[in-house]
Amino acid sequence: MSKPEPGDAAQGAPGEVKLSKASVNRFSLYLRRLERFLSDGVQKVSSSQLGEALGFTDAQVRKDLAYLGSLGQPGIGYNVSELIAALRRGLGTDREWLAVVVGVGNLARALLRYKGFGRQGFRFVALFDADREKIGRTIEGLKIHSMEDMAKVVAETGAELAVLAVPIEAAQSAAEHIAAAGLRGMLNFAPTVLKGLPENFRIVNVDLAVQLEQLAFYVHLTDTKERT
Amino acid sequence: MSKPEPGDAAQGAPGEVKLSKASVNRFSLYLRRLERFLSDGVQKVSSSQLGEALGFTDAQVRKDLAYLGSLGQPGIGYNVSELIAALRRGLGTDREWLAVVVGVGNLARALLRYKGFGRQGFRFVALFDADREKIGRTIEGLKIHSMEDMAKVVAETGAELAVLAVPIEAAQSAAEHIAAAGLRGMLNFAPTVLKGLPENFRIVNVDLAVQLEQLAFYVHLTDTKERT
């Protein structure tokens, strides 16, 4: 039923990963919702309760969670804390991930100051820019390196992930540099589709317009309500 | 089945809007996927094809799309262009939305230069900041106004949406200002939950860490694969 089409897996190695982008989105939603259940003092949850809270079918929830191994007990449900731990293990966020930022403009500065990343186990360890003027400077305690030094710095720091925050016209070439430097995946903030990168290099595209679209939708719904 | 819990509707007026956050997410995903079908030359699509492409059940897709009115023909499916138009009408993104940015720091500058918003019908018309030093300056062609002038400027420009891009400690007070100024909804980039805002004021929280988490997950999956 949820056999994904190649194009819906994360950009990179379509055939390899058998989870669609939608499945990964659902895992994130499960995790967020379970964290809220826990903070509300809820200790046990059934697949139908979790599904109902998120708008998924019971069957979908059970199928997704089965991917994490056998966790729930029939008629009793899931232990919330255990399920959170299993999701974190499954998602790979039970450990620290080191990341670099490529392109040190306004977005990079904003991201470096963003409190949410550290909380979820992500730590920035180095910055890169093509602009000779910026190289050697320090921002938020991190040194800006040249693009040419990326492979060396990545090897030294053990960074695995990159955040691409360059202007749209510099995105393709910077992305190729990142993939060649030994980084394993990249969060792409440039609103463009990147091409020809290695199969095992992962890309997640961030489309900030989608969020604004959702806000417009909620406001629009109010209009529709008022008219009826 | 997908009757949402109050807390899962957009923050603001829980009981009023009968669509869960997950439903709205699905509408956005349908729209993106259909746009890709169209650019690939696909003109007809069935609910099961659309569901399969996104990892949703056929029943879920039909139920969601029924919300837009009767569009599909049994045994034939949906006309892709018509479905896109209906989704845009349904989502309220078939028209231009005017927005303001509150808090003119690095994130605001990055957002103002972000190409994706204009493409989806969003236009920024004014900026606001509490810092006396910044007020009166112009950034990307837009003037920075004082927080006190917000209601006046909102009335003059006809802006409906706000993007909150202030530091976490200034978020609650700025949000109250925004709601009081006649704006109808807000995209909140501050990683904090805002409280006590009017029932009909809509909030969409943007959690940038979720995207990095998804990237980590894809990279983690590669590890798991390699180990087996």
Side-chain angles (χ1 to χ4, degrees):
Chain A
M1 167 194 63
S2 69
K3 183 179 162 286
E5 288 192 1
D8 291 297
Q11 214 179 314
E16 202 185 0
V17 174
K18 289 299 176 209
L19 286 172
S20 69
K21 197 177 163 185
S23 315
V24 176
N25 276 329
R26 283 199 303 276
F27 279 112
S28 285
L29 291 173
Y30 293 141
L31 187 57
R32 291 281 167 287
R33 194 63 187 82
L34 287 163
E35 285 170 343
R36 240 173 66 201
F37 274 135
L38 196 67
S39 74
D40 291 347
V42 178
Q43 284 169 12
K44 290 273 177 192
V45 71
S46 69
S47 52
S48 63
Q49 283 174 314
L50 188 55
E52 209 166 276
L54 293 167
F56 304 140
T57 61
D58 191 13
Q60 180 75 69
V61 174
R62 269 185 279 121
K63 189 173 179 297
D64 285 339
L65 298 185
Y67 170 84
L68 301 169
S70 54
L71 288 161
Q73 284 176 275
I76 296 177
Y78 301 90
N79 176 300
V80 174
S81 303
E82 280 176 22
L83 195 49
I84 290 173
L87 273 162
R88 289 200 179 281
R89 259 195 320 273
L91 287 163
T93 52
D94 56 340
R95 64 152 171 114
E96 190 178 58
W97 288 85
L98 304 183
V100 305
V101 179
V102 179
V104 188
N106 293 305
L107 181 60
R109 284 164 207 265
L111 293 173
L112 290 171
R113 281 168 200 162
Y114 183 73
K115 304 278 193 296
F117 292 129
R119 232 184 261 163
Q120 298 294 330
F122 297 98
R123 189 155 62 88
F124 292 113
V125 292
L127 312 176
F128 297 91
D129 205 289
D131 182 352
R132 295 276 147 211
E133 293 279 302
K134 291 181 183 169
I135 295 163
R137 289 196 203 165
T138 297
I139 296 197
E140 300 285 314
L142 298 175
K143 200 177 151 190
I144 305 177
H145 302 272
S146 72
M147 300 294 276
E148 292 70 33
D149 284 346
M150 202 184 291
K152 186 169 71 78
V153 175
V154 164
E156 282 167 7
T157 56
E160 292 179 272
L161 308 179
V163 173
L164 182 62
V166 299
I168 194 165
E169 57 277 8
Q172 179 68 35
S173 130
E176 289 166 14
H177 223 100
I178 290 168
L183 289 155
R184 306 177 62 196
M186 184 177 78
L187 201 58
N188 172 33
F189 277 92
T192 181
V193 175
L194 303 163
K195 287 166 189 166
L197 296 166
E199 282 232 331
N200 59 349
F201 183 73
R202 308 287 168 184
I203 303 178
V204 169
N205 295 301
V206 181
D207 188 344
L208 295 171
V210 170
Q211 322 271 354
L212 202 50
E213 186 177 280
Q214 292 183 357
L215 176 62
F217 180 38
Y218 285 120
V219 171
H220 175 73
L221 272 179
T222 316
D223 289 343
T224 317
K225 271 266 160 201
E226 278 163 7
R227 253 184 267 126
T228 53
Chain B
M1 166 192 64
S2 69
K3 182 178 163 287
E5 288 192 3
D8 292 297
Q11 214 179 313
E16 200 185 0
V17 174
K18 290 298 175 208
L19 286 171
S20 68
K21 195 176 167 188
S23 315
V24 176
N25 275 329
R26 283 198 304 275
F27 279 113
S28 284
L29 291 172
Y30 293 142
L31 187 57
R32 292 280 167 287
R33 194 63 187 81
L34 287 163
E35 284 169 344
R36 239 172 68 201
F37 275 136
L38 196 67
S39 74
D40 291 346
V42 178
Q43 284 168 14
K44 290 272 179 196
V45 71
S46 68
S47 52
S48 62
Q49 283 172 313
L50 188 54
E52 207 166 281
L54 293 167
F56 303 141
T57 62
D58 191 11
Q60 179 75 69
V61 174
R62 269 185 279 120
K63 186 172 183 293
D64 285 339
L65 298 185
Y67 170 85
L68 301 170
S70 55
L71 288 162
Q73 285 177 274
I76 296 175
Y78 302 89
N79 177 300
V80 174
S81 304
E82 281 175 23
L83 194 48
I84 289 173
L87 274 163
R88 287 199 179 283
R89 259 196 319 276
L91 287 164
T93 51
D94 56 340
R95 63 152 171 117
E96 190 179 57
W97 288 85
L98 304 184
V100 304
V101 178
V102 180
V104 188
N106 293 305
L107 181 61
R109 284 164 206 265
L111 293 174
L112 290 170
R113 283 169 198 161
Y114 184 74
K115 305 276 194 295
F117 293 127
R119 231 184 261 163
Q120 298 294 330
F122 297 98
R123 189 155 63 86
F124 292 112
V125 291
L127 312 177
F128 297 92
D129 205 291
D131 182 353
R132 295 275 147 211
E133 294 279 301
K134 292 180 183 170
I135 295 163
R137 290 197 202 164
T138 296
I139 296 197
E140 300 285 314
L142 298 176
K143 198 177 151 191
I144 305 176
H145 301 272
S146 72
M147 300 294 277
E148 292 71 35
D149 284 347
M150 201 184 290
K152 186 168 70 79
V153 175
V154 165
E156 282 167 9
T157 56
E160 293 179 274
L161 308 179
V163 173
L164 182 63
V166 300
I168 194 167
E169 58 279 9
Q172 179 67 36
S173 129
E176 289 167 13
H177 223 101
I178 290 168
L183 290 155
R184 306 176 62 198
M186 182 177 79
L187 200 59
N188 172 33
F189 277 93
T192 181
V193 176
L194 302 164
K195 287 166 190 166
L197 297 166
E199 282 232 332
N200 60 349
F201 183 75
R202 307 287 169 185
I203 303 177
V204 169
N205 296 301
V206 180
D207 187 345
L208 296 171
V210 170
Q211 322 271 354
L212 201 51
E213 185 177 280
Q214 292 183 357
L215 175 62
F217 181 40
Y218 285 120
V219 170
H220 174 74
L221 272 178
T222 316
D223 289 342
T224 318
K225 270 265 162 205
E226 279 163 5
R227 253 185 267 127
T228 53

